[in-house]
Amino acid sequence: MMNYTDDTVFSINEGVNLLSNAVSPVVCTGAGMSADSGVRTFRGEDGFWKEYRAEDLATPQALHADPELVWEWYKERLLHYDTIEPHAGFYALQRLQENRGSLPVITQNVDGLHQKAGLSDVIELHGSLATASCLSKCGASAKELTEKLVKEIPPYCSCGAVLRPDVVLFNEPLPQNEIERAFTLAEDCDLMLVIGTSMLVHPAAQIPVVALKGGAVVIEINPEKTMLSDYPGVTFIEGRAAEVLPALIEKTLSQ
Ligand code: NAD
């Protein structure tokens, strides 16, 4: 085990006991899960992009008013995602999924890193930056969002309308099937592993709370405490996803 404080070692051991006994575990991840792969979080120390706030920039209104500016932000993220790799924590989750046969992963992330690490059954609450579709909804199917497609921005559909990235913009509703499945999983699971979310973006932040109310235990991994950390039924492990997840999962699987 790395150089952890006594408190962290104690909570990892507690997490190992909980995870070993879990029958229907579910994972719930936020931007902090990708931080150790080099993806910036929105509310971490890295802060925001240029002089804009993501909440002002990534909106349907901004996309209509200034598609080039909005696409500049998504182009930068897309090109960055192409260069990054999943860290050891993603592969630890993949081994746990393989070992259990089933391990649904609910994520707020749009970067595709879970899938890149070989995880399946990933429920993308905020969409994905893997594809783009027609803003005027001409019926053209989603196009794969490649570097070539964003060479010139904004990219256009063959019908002449601007394309939009298939991510949920601020002020847009979450995809119905995904949000329903996430809440059903939260109600039915007996353990939820919550990694790298500030618990500030709703309705995603309600998912771990629903799991707790349904009688599940929660293991939370984050370098900083959130509003979830001191809830009864939560084991908070202070630390980074790339370090804590391999330690927690390897020890669980070796038991
Ligand atoms: P957030 O940016 O609000 O909070 C990030 C959380 O991760 C913080 O609590 C922080 O302490 C924690 N964290 C930082 N480094 C960590 C590490 N190494 N290991 C574990 N935890 C770490 O993230 P959010 O709650 O997911 O909400 C942000 C919103 O922005 C979401 O809607 C998400 O869709 C979007 N977003 C996605 C990405 C991505 O796809 N990778 C990146 C940035 C933002």
Side-chain angles (χ1 to χ4, degrees):
M1 219 178 264
M2 318 237 348
N3 286 335
Y4 293 127
T5 62
D6 288 351
D7 275 359
T8 303
V9 173
F10 180 82
S11 45
I12 289 179
N13 288 337
E14 196 172 290
V16 169
N17 284 336
L18 294 172
L19 198 52
S20 304
N21 290 319
V23 176
S24 49
V26 168
V27 177
C28 189
T29 64
M33 178 69 199
S34 296
D36 293 327
S37 285
V39 182
R40 282 185 300 173
T41 59
F42 279 175
R43 294 174 189 78
E45 283 174 12
D46 277 347
F48 296 105
W49 178 76
K50 291 192 177 168
E51 70 265 39
Y52 300 98
R53 293 185 347 118
E55 284 90 337
D56 296 333
L57 189 70
T59 65
Q61 294 78 9
L63 190 60
H64 279 96
D66 195 346
E68 197 179 324
L69 175 69
V70 177
W71 268 104
E72 198 187 329
W73 143 264
Y74 281 109
K75 178 178 176 172
E76 184 187 295
R77 290 175 71 188
L78 179 72
L79 297 185
H80 180 51
Y81 293 168
D82 274 353
T83 66
I84 55 171
E85 293 299 328
H87 57 69
F90 285 99
Y91 290 105
L93 285 179
Q94 193 274 335
R95 282 193 293 284
L96 184 64
Q97 188 177 68
E98 205 171 74
N99 177 272
R100 292 298 178 112
S102 161
L103 183 69
V105 179
I106 303 163
T107 188
Q108 297 175 66
N109 298 349
V110 300
D111 55 32
L113 280 177
H114 295 85
Q115 294 91 332
K116 217 171 175 180
L119 280 154
S120 56
D121 201 7
V122 181
I123 300 136
E124 294 177 309
L125 290 181
H126 293 167
S128 162
L129 207 49
T131 57
S133 50
C134 181
L135 194 54
S136 73
K137 298 186 173 64
C138 73
S141 54
K143 288 178 195 303
E144 195 189 342
L145 194 41
T146 57
E147 192 175 335
K148 195 171 159 217
L149 192 68
V150 292
K151 202 160 185 258
E152 308 261 324
I153 49 171
Y156 288 94
C157 178
S158 49
C159 77
V162 170
L163 289 172
R164 59 158 294 161
D166 287 336
V167 296
V168 177
L169 300 170
F170 287 91
N171 307 327
E172 283 187 325
L174 268 54
Q176 194 63 22
N177 289 345
E178 278 75 4
I179 196 72
E180 276 175 14
R181 172 119 197 271
F183 277 107
T184 303
L185 285 166
E187 282 161 14
D188 295 347
C189 71
D190 63 352
L191 181 144
M192 187 171 277
L193 199 48
V194 180
I195 310 149
T197 174
S198 60
M199 294 290 295
L200 293 171
V201 177
H202 289 269
Q206 281 144 249
I207 293 168
V209 179
V210 167
L212 283 171
K213 283 190 178 151
V217 289
V218 165
I219 301 172
E220 185 187 33
I221 299 171
N222 200 311
E224 289 168 27
K225 279 197 166 189
T226 69
M227 56 78 91
L228 184 70
S229 315
D230 292 325
Y231 265 59
V234 177
T235 296
F236 175 70
I237 307 178
E238 183 183 340
R240 308 181 69 87
E243 294 170 1
V244 173
L245 276 170
L248 174 73
I249 291 172
E250 293 318 322
K251 205 165 173 198
T252 303
L253 295 183
S254 68
Q255 285 201 334

PDB file of all heavy atoms in Angstrom, residues 30-32 34-36 39-43 77 81 108-111 126 196-199 201 221-224 226 239-241, ligand 1:
ATOM      1  N   GLY A  30     -17.539  10.921 -11.245  1.00  0.00           N
ATOM      2  CA  GLY A  30     -17.594  12.297 -11.723  1.00  0.00           C
ATOM      3  C   GLY A  30     -16.244  12.681 -12.317  1.00  0.00           C
ATOM      4  O   GLY A  30     -15.349  11.832 -12.480  1.00  0.00           O
ATOM      5  N   ALA A  31     -16.099  13.960 -12.617  1.00  0.00           N
ATOM      6  CA  ALA A  31     -14.916  14.451 -13.315  1.00  0.00           C
ATOM      7  C   ALA A  31     -13.605  14.083 -12.618  1.00  0.00           C
ATOM      8  O   ALA A  31     -12.577  13.873 -13.266  1.00  0.00           O
ATOM      9  CB  ALA A  31     -15.011  15.966 -13.481  1.00  0.00           C
ATOM     10  N   GLY A  32     -13.619  13.971 -11.280  1.00  0.00           N
ATOM     11  CA  GLY A  32     -12.407  13.631 -10.530  1.00  0.00           C
ATOM     12  C   GLY A  32     -11.871  12.249 -10.866  1.00  0.00           C
ATOM     13  O   GLY A  32     -10.688  11.973 -10.666  1.00  0.00           O
ATOM     14  N   SER A  34     -11.422  11.141 -13.768  1.00  0.00           N
ATOM     15  CA  SER A  34     -10.519  11.302 -14.914  1.00  0.00           C
ATOM     16  C   SER A  34      -9.328  12.214 -14.617  1.00  0.00           C
ATOM     17  O   SER A  34      -8.433  12.344 -15.455  1.00  0.00           O
ATOM     18  CB  SER A  34     -11.299  11.882 -16.105  1.00  0.00           C
ATOM     19  OG  SER A  34     -12.295  10.988 -16.530  1.00  0.00           O
ATOM     20  N   ALA A  35      -9.334  12.844 -13.447  1.00  0.00           N
ATOM     21  CA  ALA A  35      -8.297  13.845 -13.153  1.00  0.00           C
ATOM     22  C   ALA A  35      -6.888  13.253 -13.235  1.00  0.00           C
ATOM     23  O   ALA A  35      -5.970  13.883 -13.776  1.00  0.00           O
ATOM     24  CB  ALA A  35      -8.540  14.456 -11.773  1.00  0.00           C
ATOM     25  N   ASP A  36      -6.712  12.028 -12.727  1.00  0.00           N
ATOM     26  CA  ASP A  36      -5.375  11.418 -12.737  1.00  0.00           C
ATOM     27  C   ASP A  36      -4.940  10.965 -14.129  1.00  0.00           C
ATOM     28  O   ASP A  36      -3.791  10.577 -14.325  1.00  0.00           O
ATOM     29  CB  ASP A  36      -5.306  10.247 -11.751  1.00  0.00           C
ATOM     30  CG  ASP A  36      -5.438  10.712 -10.305  1.00  0.00           C
ATOM     31  OD1 ASP A  36      -4.972  11.830 -10.000  1.00  0.00           O
ATOM     32  OD2 ASP A  36      -6.015   9.968  -9.490  1.00  0.00           O
ATOM     33  N   VAL A  39      -7.326  14.884 -17.207  1.00  0.00           N
ATOM     34  CA  VAL A  39      -8.494  15.670 -17.637  1.00  0.00           C
ATOM     35  C   VAL A  39      -8.832  16.659 -16.528  1.00  0.00           C
ATOM     36  O   VAL A  39      -8.966  16.271 -15.370  1.00  0.00           O
ATOM     37  CB  VAL A  39      -9.725  14.760 -17.889  1.00  0.00           C
ATOM     38  CG1 VAL A  39     -10.906  15.589 -18.371  1.00  0.00           C
ATOM     39  CG2 VAL A  39      -9.384  13.680 -18.900  1.00  0.00           C
ATOM     40  N   ARG A  40      -8.994  17.904 -16.918  1.00  0.00           N
ATOM     41  CA  ARG A  40      -9.302  18.912 -15.906  1.00  0.00           C
ATOM     42  C   ARG A  40     -10.719  18.752 -15.375  1.00  0.00           C
ATOM     43  O   ARG A  40     -11.642  18.483 -16.136  1.00  0.00           O
ATOM     44  CB  ARG A  40      -9.161  20.326 -16.514  1.00  0.00           C
ATOM     45  CG  ARG A  40      -7.718  20.762 -16.618  1.00  0.00           C
ATOM     46  CD  ARG A  40      -7.628  22.186 -17.111  1.00  0.00           C
ATOM     47  NE  ARG A  40      -8.234  22.332 -18.429  1.00  0.00           N
ATOM     48  CZ  ARG A  40      -8.415  23.492 -19.021  1.00  0.00           C
ATOM     49  NH1 ARG A  40      -8.080  24.602 -18.427  1.00  0.00           N
ATOM     50  NH2 ARG A  40      -8.933  23.557 -20.221  1.00  0.00           N
ATOM     51  N   THR A  41     -10.891  18.931 -14.068  1.00  0.00           N
ATOM     52  CA  THR A  41     -12.242  18.958 -13.504  1.00  0.00           C
ATOM     53  C   THR A  41     -12.776  20.377 -13.664  1.00  0.00           C
ATOM     54  O   THR A  41     -12.025  21.296 -13.996  1.00  0.00           O
ATOM     55  CB  THR A  41     -12.220  18.588 -12.002  1.00  0.00           C
ATOM     56  OG1 THR A  41     -11.394  19.530 -11.338  1.00  0.00           O
ATOM     57  CG2 THR A  41     -11.677  17.178 -11.790  1.00  0.00           C
ATOM     58  N   PHE A  42     -14.084  20.552 -13.408  1.00  0.00           N
ATOM     59  CA  PHE A  42     -14.636  21.912 -13.496  1.00  0.00           C
ATOM     60  C   PHE A  42     -14.399  22.691 -12.217  1.00  0.00           C
ATOM     61  O   PHE A  42     -14.184  23.881 -12.229  1.00  0.00           O
ATOM     62  CB  PHE A  42     -16.141  21.843 -13.763  1.00  0.00           C
ATOM     63  CG  PHE A  42     -16.476  21.609 -15.217  1.00  0.00           C
ATOM     64  CD1 PHE A  42     -17.795  21.427 -15.601  1.00  0.00           C
ATOM     65  CD2 PHE A  42     -15.501  21.585 -16.189  1.00  0.00           C
ATOM     66  CE1 PHE A  42     -18.120  21.223 -16.930  1.00  0.00           C
ATOM     67  CE2 PHE A  42     -15.818  21.374 -17.511  1.00  0.00           C
ATOM     68  CZ  PHE A  42     -17.131  21.189 -17.884  1.00  0.00           C
ATOM     69  N   ARG A  43     -14.467  21.961 -11.086  1.00  0.00           N
ATOM     70  CA  ARG A  43     -14.408  22.668  -9.806  1.00  0.00           C
ATOM     71  C   ARG A  43     -13.139  22.376  -9.020  1.00  0.00           C
ATOM     72  O   ARG A  43     -13.036  22.726  -7.866  1.00  0.00           O
ATOM     73  CB  ARG A  43     -15.643  22.338  -8.956  1.00  0.00           C
ATOM     74  CG  ARG A  43     -16.882  22.879  -9.601  1.00  0.00           C
ATOM     75  CD  ARG A  43     -18.164  22.497  -8.924  1.00  0.00           C
ATOM     76  NE  ARG A  43     -19.264  22.911  -9.763  1.00  0.00           N
ATOM     77  CZ  ARG A  43     -19.663  22.253 -10.844  1.00  0.00           C
ATOM     78  NH1 ARG A  43     -19.073  21.133 -11.201  1.00  0.00           N
ATOM     79  NH2 ARG A  43     -20.646  22.705 -11.588  1.00  0.00           N
ATOM     80  N   ARG A  77     -11.286  20.061 -25.955  1.00  0.00           N
ATOM     81  CA  ARG A  77     -11.461  18.889 -25.089  1.00  0.00           C
ATOM     82  C   ARG A  77     -11.346  17.599 -25.887  1.00  0.00           C
ATOM     83  O   ARG A  77     -10.702  16.651 -25.453  1.00  0.00           O
ATOM     84  CB  ARG A  77     -12.828  18.965 -24.396  1.00  0.00           C
ATOM     85  CG  ARG A  77     -12.873  20.078 -23.369  1.00  0.00           C
ATOM     86  CD  ARG A  77     -14.238  20.229 -22.764  1.00  0.00           C
ATOM     87  NE  ARG A  77     -14.587  19.126 -21.874  1.00  0.00           N
ATOM     88  CZ  ARG A  77     -15.806  18.966 -21.346  1.00  0.00           C
ATOM     89  NH1 ARG A  77     -16.764  19.813 -21.624  1.00  0.00           N
ATOM     90  NH2 ARG A  77     -16.047  17.948 -20.536  1.00  0.00           N
ATOM     91  N   TYR A  81      -8.766  14.619 -25.246  1.00  0.00           N
ATOM     92  CA  TYR A  81      -9.199  13.253 -24.878  1.00  0.00           C
ATOM     93  C   TYR A  81      -8.515  12.202 -25.758  1.00  0.00           C
ATOM     94  O   TYR A  81      -8.261  11.085 -25.308  1.00  0.00           O
ATOM     95  CB  TYR A  81     -10.719  13.081 -25.018  1.00  0.00           C
ATOM     96  CG  TYR A  81     -11.552  13.892 -24.047  1.00  0.00           C
ATOM     97  CD1 TYR A  81     -12.929  14.020 -24.223  1.00  0.00           C
ATOM     98  CD2 TYR A  81     -10.980  14.534 -22.952  1.00  0.00           C
ATOM     99  CE1 TYR A  81     -13.700  14.763 -23.342  1.00  0.00           C
ATOM    100  CE2 TYR A  81     -11.743  15.286 -22.074  1.00  0.00           C
ATOM    101  CZ  TYR A  81     -13.105  15.398 -22.276  1.00  0.00           C
ATOM    102  OH  TYR A  81     -13.859  16.139 -21.416  1.00  0.00           O
ATOM    103  N   GLN A 108     -20.834  10.821 -14.934  1.00  0.00           N
ATOM    104  CA  GLN A 108     -21.158  12.165 -15.430  1.00  0.00           C
ATOM    105  C   GLN A 108     -20.153  12.570 -16.508  1.00  0.00           C
ATOM    106  O   GLN A 108     -20.257  13.638 -17.074  1.00  0.00           O
ATOM    107  CB  GLN A 108     -21.080  13.178 -14.286  1.00  0.00           C
ATOM    108  CG  GLN A 108     -22.072  12.940 -13.176  1.00  0.00           C
ATOM    109  CD  GLN A 108     -21.859  13.906 -12.025  1.00  0.00           C
ATOM    110  OE1 GLN A 108     -22.051  15.115 -12.173  1.00  0.00           O
ATOM    111  NE2 GLN A 108     -21.457  13.409 -10.886  1.00  0.00           N
ATOM    112  N   ASN A 109     -19.157  11.715 -16.732  1.00  0.00           N
ATOM    113  CA  ASN A 109     -18.075  12.088 -17.647  1.00  0.00           C
ATOM    114  C   ASN A 109     -18.445  11.825 -19.111  1.00  0.00           C
ATOM    115  O   ASN A 109     -19.210  10.915 -19.403  1.00  0.00           O
ATOM    116  CB  ASN A 109     -16.795  11.343 -17.286  1.00  0.00           C
ATOM    117  CG  ASN A 109     -16.320  11.715 -15.895  1.00  0.00           C
ATOM    118  OD1 ASN A 109     -16.823  12.665 -15.306  1.00  0.00           O
ATOM    119  ND2 ASN A 109     -15.375  10.978 -15.364  1.00  0.00           N
ATOM    120  N   VAL A 110     -17.854  12.617 -19.984  1.00  0.00           N
ATOM    121  CA  VAL A 110     -18.171  12.508 -21.414  1.00  0.00           C
ATOM    122  C   VAL A 110     -16.935  12.089 -22.215  1.00  0.00           C
ATOM    123  O   VAL A 110     -16.944  12.106 -23.443  1.00  0.00           O
ATOM    124  CB  VAL A 110     -18.713  13.860 -21.957  1.00  0.00           C
ATOM    125  CG1 VAL A 110     -19.980  14.274 -21.224  1.00  0.00           C
ATOM    126  CG2 VAL A 110     -17.661  14.981 -21.876  1.00  0.00           C
ATOM    127  N   ASP A 111     -15.852  11.709 -21.497  1.00  0.00           N
ATOM    128  CA  ASP A 111     -14.567  11.523 -22.161  1.00  0.00           C
ATOM    129  C   ASP A 111     -14.297  10.108 -22.669  1.00  0.00           C
ATOM    130  O   ASP A 111     -13.285   9.857 -23.326  1.00  0.00           O
ATOM    131  CB  ASP A 111     -13.421  11.949 -21.220  1.00  0.00           C
ATOM    132  CG  ASP A 111     -13.466  11.221 -19.870  1.00  0.00           C
ATOM    133  OD1 ASP A 111     -13.903  10.055 -19.827  1.00  0.00           O
ATOM    134  OD2 ASP A 111     -13.056  11.827 -18.860  1.00  0.00           O
ATOM    135  N   HIS A 126     -24.446  12.380 -18.835  1.00  0.00           N
ATOM    136  CA  HIS A 126     -24.290  13.685 -19.489  1.00  0.00           C
ATOM    137  C   HIS A 126     -23.872  13.547 -20.948  1.00  0.00           C
ATOM    138  O   HIS A 126     -23.291  14.462 -21.518  1.00  0.00           O
ATOM    139  CB  HIS A 126     -23.286  14.541 -18.700  1.00  0.00           C
ATOM    140  CG  HIS A 126     -23.800  14.924 -17.339  1.00  0.00           C
ATOM    141  ND1 HIS A 126     -23.009  15.460 -16.358  1.00  0.00           N
ATOM    142  CD2 HIS A 126     -25.037  14.844 -16.807  1.00  0.00           C
ATOM    143  CE1 HIS A 126     -23.752  15.685 -15.266  1.00  0.00           C
ATOM    144  NE2 HIS A 126     -24.970  15.314 -15.524  1.00  0.00           N
ATOM    145  N   GLY A 196     -14.857  10.792  -7.179  1.00  0.00           N
ATOM    146  CA  GLY A 196     -14.506  12.020  -7.884  1.00  0.00           C
ATOM    147  C   GLY A 196     -15.653  12.893  -8.334  1.00  0.00           C
ATOM    148  O   GLY A 196     -15.592  13.488  -9.402  1.00  0.00           O
ATOM    149  N   THR A 197     -16.690  12.990  -7.514  1.00  0.00           N
ATOM    150  CA  THR A 197     -17.737  13.960  -7.841  1.00  0.00           C
ATOM    151  C   THR A 197     -17.889  14.937  -6.690  1.00  0.00           C
ATOM    152  O   THR A 197     -17.827  14.558  -5.521  1.00  0.00           O
ATOM    153  CB  THR A 197     -19.090  13.293  -8.191  1.00  0.00           C
ATOM    154  OG1 THR A 197     -20.069  14.331  -8.364  1.00  0.00           O
ATOM    155  CG2 THR A 197     -19.562  12.318  -7.131  1.00  0.00           C
ATOM    156  N   SER A 198     -18.071  16.223  -7.047  1.00  0.00           N
ATOM    157  CA  SER A 198     -18.210  17.269  -6.028  1.00  0.00           C
ATOM    158  C   SER A 198     -19.588  17.243  -5.385  1.00  0.00           C
ATOM    159  O   SER A 198     -19.830  17.956  -4.421  1.00  0.00           O
ATOM    160  CB  SER A 198     -17.962  18.636  -6.665  1.00  0.00           C
ATOM    161  OG  SER A 198     -18.915  18.854  -7.687  1.00  0.00           O
ATOM    162  N   MET A 199     -20.500  16.434  -5.944  1.00  0.00           N
ATOM    163  CA  MET A 199     -21.885  16.343  -5.437  1.00  0.00           C
ATOM    164  C   MET A 199     -22.598  17.695  -5.527  1.00  0.00           C
ATOM    165  O   MET A 199     -23.448  18.027  -4.721  1.00  0.00           O
ATOM    166  CB  MET A 199     -21.885  15.848  -3.974  1.00  0.00           C
ATOM    167  CG  MET A 199     -21.403  14.422  -3.791  1.00  0.00           C
ATOM    168  SD  MET A 199     -22.577  13.200  -4.449  1.00  0.00           S
ATOM    169  CE  MET A 199     -23.985  13.426  -3.381  1.00  0.00           C
ATOM    170  N   VAL A 201     -23.604  18.922  -8.884  1.00  0.00           N
ATOM    171  CA  VAL A 201     -24.391  18.973 -10.122  1.00  0.00           C
ATOM    172  C   VAL A 201     -25.596  18.033  -9.975  1.00  0.00           C
ATOM    173  O   VAL A 201     -25.432  16.846  -9.718  1.00  0.00           O
ATOM    174  CB  VAL A 201     -23.518  18.567 -11.345  1.00  0.00           C
ATOM    175  CG1 VAL A 201     -24.357  18.559 -12.620  1.00  0.00           C
ATOM    176  CG2 VAL A 201     -22.331  19.503 -11.496  1.00  0.00           C
ATOM    177  N   ILE A 221     -14.638   8.014  -2.671  1.00  0.00           N
ATOM    178  CA  ILE A 221     -13.193   8.255  -2.860  1.00  0.00           C
ATOM    179  C   ILE A 221     -13.011   9.652  -3.447  1.00  0.00           C
ATOM    180  O   ILE A 221     -13.519   9.958  -4.538  1.00  0.00           O
ATOM    181  CB  ILE A 221     -12.583   7.192  -3.802  1.00  0.00           C
ATOM    182  CG1 ILE A 221     -12.751   5.791  -3.202  1.00  0.00           C
ATOM    183  CG2 ILE A 221     -11.105   7.500  -4.072  1.00  0.00           C
ATOM    184  CD1 ILE A 221     -12.367   4.664  -4.145  1.00  0.00           C
ATOM    185  N   ASN A 222     -12.296  10.494  -2.728  1.00  0.00           N
ATOM    186  CA  ASN A 222     -12.125  11.883  -3.150  1.00  0.00           C
ATOM    187  C   ASN A 222     -11.005  12.490  -2.305  1.00  0.00           C
ATOM    188  O   ASN A 222     -10.921  12.194  -1.110  1.00  0.00           O
ATOM    189  CB  ASN A 222     -13.453  12.650  -2.929  1.00  0.00           C
ATOM    190  CG  ASN A 222     -13.555  13.918  -3.740  1.00  0.00           C
ATOM    191  OD1 ASN A 222     -12.638  14.731  -3.753  1.00  0.00           O
ATOM    192  ND2 ASN A 222     -14.681  14.098  -4.422  1.00  0.00           N
ATOM    193  N   PRO A 223     -10.148  13.329  -2.876  1.00  0.00           N
ATOM    194  CA  PRO A 223      -9.128  13.982  -2.036  1.00  0.00           C
ATOM    195  C   PRO A 223      -9.737  15.001  -1.084  1.00  0.00           C
ATOM    196  O   PRO A 223      -9.103  15.410  -0.113  1.00  0.00           O
ATOM    197  CB  PRO A 223      -8.208  14.691  -3.041  1.00  0.00           C
ATOM    198  CG  PRO A 223      -8.673  14.309  -4.393  1.00  0.00           C
ATOM    199  CD  PRO A 223     -10.021  13.672  -4.298  1.00  0.00           C
ATOM    200  N   GLU A 224     -10.989  15.436  -1.397  1.00  0.00           N
ATOM    201  CA  GLU A 224     -11.651  16.429  -0.542  1.00  0.00           C
ATOM    202  C   GLU A 224     -13.014  15.921  -0.104  1.00  0.00           C
ATOM    203  O   GLU A 224     -13.686  15.239  -0.875  1.00  0.00           O
ATOM    204  CB  GLU A 224     -11.872  17.737  -1.322  1.00  0.00           C
ATOM    205  CG  GLU A 224     -10.627  18.503  -1.596  1.00  0.00           C
ATOM    206  CD  GLU A 224     -10.872  19.620  -2.617  1.00  0.00           C
ATOM    207  OE1 GLU A 224     -12.012  20.112  -2.709  1.00  0.00           O
ATOM    208  OE2 GLU A 224      -9.916  19.959  -3.327  1.00  0.00           O
ATOM    209  N   THR A 226     -16.999  15.998   0.602  1.00  0.00           N
ATOM    210  CA  THR A 226     -18.153  16.624  -0.049  1.00  0.00           C
ATOM    211  C   THR A 226     -19.321  16.588   0.939  1.00  0.00           C
ATOM    212  O   THR A 226     -19.192  16.046   2.033  1.00  0.00           O
ATOM    213  CB  THR A 226     -18.563  15.841  -1.313  1.00  0.00           C
ATOM    214  OG1 THR A 226     -19.106  14.573  -0.903  1.00  0.00           O
ATOM    215  CG2 THR A 226     -17.398  15.618  -2.251  1.00  0.00           C
ATOM    216  N   GLY A 239      -8.382  10.435  -0.835  1.00  0.00           N
ATOM    217  CA  GLY A 239      -7.277  10.095  -1.733  1.00  0.00           C
ATOM    218  C   GLY A 239      -7.684  10.179  -3.189  1.00  0.00           C
ATOM    219  O   GLY A 239      -8.830  10.506  -3.522  1.00  0.00           O
ATOM    220  N   ARG A 240      -6.719   9.878  -4.044  1.00  0.00           N
ATOM    221  CA  ARG A 240      -6.914  10.002  -5.484  1.00  0.00           C
ATOM    222  C   ARG A 240      -7.376   8.670  -6.070  1.00  0.00           C
ATOM    223  O   ARG A 240      -6.936   7.602  -5.634  1.00  0.00           O
ATOM    224  CB  ARG A 240      -5.605  10.422  -6.155  1.00  0.00           C
ATOM    225  CG  ARG A 240      -4.952  11.648  -5.536  1.00  0.00           C
ATOM    226  CD  ARG A 240      -3.679  12.012  -6.274  1.00  0.00           C
ATOM    227  NE  ARG A 240      -3.982  12.509  -7.595  1.00  0.00           N
ATOM    228  CZ  ARG A 240      -4.260  13.784  -7.873  1.00  0.00           C
ATOM    229  NH1 ARG A 240      -4.248  14.668  -6.899  1.00  0.00           N
ATOM    230  NH2 ARG A 240      -4.537  14.152  -9.102  1.00  0.00           N
ATOM    231  N   ALA A 241      -8.208   8.778  -7.100  1.00  0.00           N
ATOM    232  CA  ALA A 241      -8.786   7.578  -7.719  1.00  0.00           C
ATOM    233  C   ALA A 241      -7.708   6.614  -8.212  1.00  0.00           C
ATOM    234  O   ALA A 241      -7.824   5.402  -8.046  1.00  0.00           O
ATOM    235  CB  ALA A 241      -9.695   7.992  -8.876  1.00  0.00           C
TER     236      ALA A 241
HETATM  237  P1  NAD B   1     -16.550  18.518 -10.393  1.00  0.00           P
HETATM  238  O1  NAD B   1     -15.565  19.116 -11.333  1.00  0.00           O
HETATM  239  O2  NAD B   1     -17.661  19.352  -9.882  1.00  0.00           O
HETATM  240  O3  NAD B   1     -15.760  17.971  -9.104  1.00  0.00           O
HETATM  241  C1  NAD B   1     -14.650  17.135  -9.242  1.00  0.00           C
HETATM  242  C2  NAD B   1     -14.476  16.366  -7.950  1.00  0.00           C
HETATM  243  O4  NAD B   1     -13.414  15.444  -8.126  1.00  0.00           O
HETATM  244  C3  NAD B   1     -14.114  17.252  -6.752  1.00  0.00           C
HETATM  245  O5  NAD B   1     -14.884  16.851  -5.627  1.00  0.00           O
HETATM  246  C4  NAD B   1     -12.630  16.952  -6.529  1.00  0.00           C
HETATM  247  O6  NAD B   1     -12.245  17.051  -5.181  1.00  0.00           O
HETATM  248  C5  NAD B   1     -12.558  15.506  -7.019  1.00  0.00           C
HETATM  249  N1  NAD B   1     -11.232  15.090  -7.452  1.00  0.00           N
HETATM  250  C6  NAD B   1     -10.237  15.845  -7.963  1.00  0.00           C
HETATM  251  N2  NAD B   1      -9.168  15.083  -8.256  1.00  0.00           N
HETATM  252  C7  NAD B   1      -9.502  13.804  -7.929  1.00  0.00           C
HETATM  253  C8  NAD B   1      -8.822  12.556  -8.012  1.00  0.00           C
HETATM  254  N3  NAD B   1      -7.571  12.490  -8.484  1.00  0.00           N
HETATM  255  N4  NAD B   1      -9.461  11.444  -7.612  1.00  0.00           N
HETATM  256  C9  NAD B   1     -10.721  11.503  -7.118  1.00  0.00           C
HETATM  257  N5  NAD B   1     -11.423  12.659  -7.026  1.00  0.00           N
HETATM  258  C10 NAD B   1     -10.822  13.800  -7.431  1.00  0.00           C
HETATM  259  O7  NAD B   1     -17.061  17.172 -11.060  1.00  0.00           O
HETATM  260  P2  NAD B   1     -18.534  16.554 -11.185  1.00  0.00           P
HETATM  261  O8  NAD B   1     -19.130  16.408  -9.833  1.00  0.00           O
HETATM  262  O9  NAD B   1     -18.401  15.364 -12.052  1.00  0.00           O
HETATM  263  O10 NAD B   1     -19.363  17.646 -11.975  1.00  0.00           O
HETATM  264  C11 NAD B   1     -18.768  18.246 -13.115  1.00  0.00           C
HETATM  265  C12 NAD B   1     -19.613  18.296 -14.336  1.00  0.00           C
HETATM  266  O11 NAD B   1     -18.721  18.592 -15.409  1.00  0.00           O
HETATM  267  C13 NAD B   1     -20.262  17.029 -14.708  1.00  0.00           C
HETATM  268  O12 NAD B   1     -21.488  17.410 -15.196  1.00  0.00           O
HETATM  269  C14 NAD B   1     -19.415  16.428 -15.849  1.00  0.00           C
HETATM  270  O13 NAD B   1     -20.265  15.962 -16.872  1.00  0.00           O
HETATM  271  C15 NAD B   1     -18.643  17.592 -16.393  1.00  0.00           C
HETATM  272  N6  NAD B   1     -17.203  17.306 -16.646  1.00  0.00           N
HETATM  273  C16 NAD B   1     -16.811  16.143 -17.250  1.00  0.00           C
HETATM  274  C17 NAD B   1     -15.462  15.913 -17.460  1.00  0.00           C
HETATM  275  C18 NAD B   1     -15.046  14.621 -18.129  1.00  0.00           C
HETATM  276  O14 NAD B   1     -15.785  14.078 -18.939  1.00  0.00           O
HETATM  277  N7  NAD B   1     -13.875  14.107 -17.797  1.00  0.00           N
HETATM  278  C19 NAD B   1     -14.500  16.839 -17.052  1.00  0.00           C
HETATM  279  C20 NAD B   1     -14.932  18.022 -16.444  1.00  0.00           C
HETATM  280  C21 NAD B   1     -16.299  18.235 -16.232  1.00  0.00           C
END
